[in-house]
Amino acid sequence: MSARIVALVGSLRAGSHNRQLAEAAVDLAPEGATVEVYEGLADVPFYNEDIDTEADLPQAAARLRAAVTDADALLLFTPEYNGTMPAVLKNAIDWLSRPYGAGALRGKPVAVIGTAFGQYGGVWAQTEVRKAVGVAGGTVVEGVELAIPGSVTRFAETHPSEDAEVITGLSAVLTGLVTATAAPAEATA
């Protein structure tokens, strides 16, 4: 089965562990599937309905919407900032939720994972992202989760792609997400 998965990373930092986790996902994509890390979230302006018009739509927002519209699924990577998701990820969700009822997220299978310094691996942020994605029209894939604690020390000397536990967990997430992309087609067959 083939699936094109677009990954959005909620950290803009060059050395982000969530970015490294997304890079590992690219290499671990199941056969027939691809994971593409979306570049350009930093260029998307804060959502403003006044500029979300045919005449004024920012190119960065249009590119984001097009990339997600063309994807079969989304894989969102989030760190935890002050107990919740980073603004850049929330902003992307806001742009993808519009136009209301017909946004690029509508009906799209979505998995939310990530790593954070805390002992719970960013579960609060992941919960908030899942909530926002669901309200925005995405289909959060149940049971496809991965929260990796202690990122600062765990990945100080090791890239996530070299951590056996991460490889196992990330592979399971990718398999679950790819399976979810086939579910709508199987339901109509």
Side-chain angles (χ1 to χ4, degrees), residues 27-101:
D27 294 334
L28 292 172
E31 187 174 336
T34 59
V35 176
E36 301 166 20
V37 179
Y38 183 80
E39 304 293 345
L41 284 186
D43 301 327
V44 180
F46 281 112
Y47 185 79
N48 176 346
E49 198 169 3
D50 290 341
I51 61 172
D52 190 4
T53 67
E54 193 172 319
D56 296 322
L57 183 64
Q59 285 299 310
R63 282 191 301 275
L64 174 63
R65 284 179 174 165
V68 172
T69 297
D70 292 343
D72 296 306
L74 281 180
L75 182 54
L76 306 182
F77 294 83
T78 187
E80 190 168 274
Y81 294 173
N82 300 312
T84 191
M85 76 179 97
V88 69
L89 194 52
K90 176 63 167 77
N91 187 52
I93 293 167
D94 290 344
W95 277 104
L96 295 169
S97 72
R98 300 290 191 257
Y100 181 76

Side-chain angles (χ1 to χ4, degrees):
M1 107 186 38
S2 66
R4 181 174 170 259
I5 300 168
V6 169
L8 303 181
V9 180
S11 175
L12 301 177
R13 187 172 63 86
S16 163
H17 298 121
N18 280 284
R19 174 64 182 217
Q20 292 174 359
L21 195 59
E23 292 166 355
V26 170
D27 294 334
L28 292 172
E31 187 174 336
T34 59
V35 176
E36 301 166 20
V37 179
Y38 183 80
E39 304 293 345
L41 284 186
D43 301 327
V44 180
F46 281 112
Y47 185 79
N48 176 346
E49 198 169 3
D50 290 341
I51 61 172
D52 190 4
T53 67
E54 193 172 319
D56 296 322
L57 183 64
Q59 285 299 310
R63 282 191 301 275
L64 174 63
R65 284 179 174 165
V68 172
T69 297
D70 292 343
D72 296 306
L74 281 180
L75 182 54
L76 306 182
F77 294 83
T78 187
E80 190 168 274
Y81 294 173
N82 300 312
T84 191
M85 76 179 97
V88 69
L89 194 52
K90 176 63 167 77
N91 187 52
I93 293 167
D94 290 344
W95 277 104
L96 295 169
S97 72
R98 300 290 191 257
Y100 181 76
L105 279 175
R106 184 161 188 222
K108 194 84 54 180
V110 180
V112 180
I113 67 172
T115 185
F117 177 64
Q119 65 180 340
Y120 302 111
V123 294
W124 288 352
Q126 291 182 31
T127 297
E128 293 296 317
V129 173
R130 286 185 191 98
K131 175 184 165 188
V133 164
V135 170
T139 302
V140 177
V141 182
E142 295 296 322
V144 177
E145 301 175 0
L146 180 63
I148 304 163
S151 61
V152 173
T153 53
R154 185 172 190 159
F155 303 125
E157 303 286 328
T158 304
H159 191 281
S161 64
E162 299 167 356
D163 183 309
E165 185 181 355
V166 170
I167 292 169
T168 299
L170 190 51
S171 294
V173 164
L174 291 165
T175 299
L177 191 53
V178 168
T179 299
T181 65
E186 291 170 1
T188 60

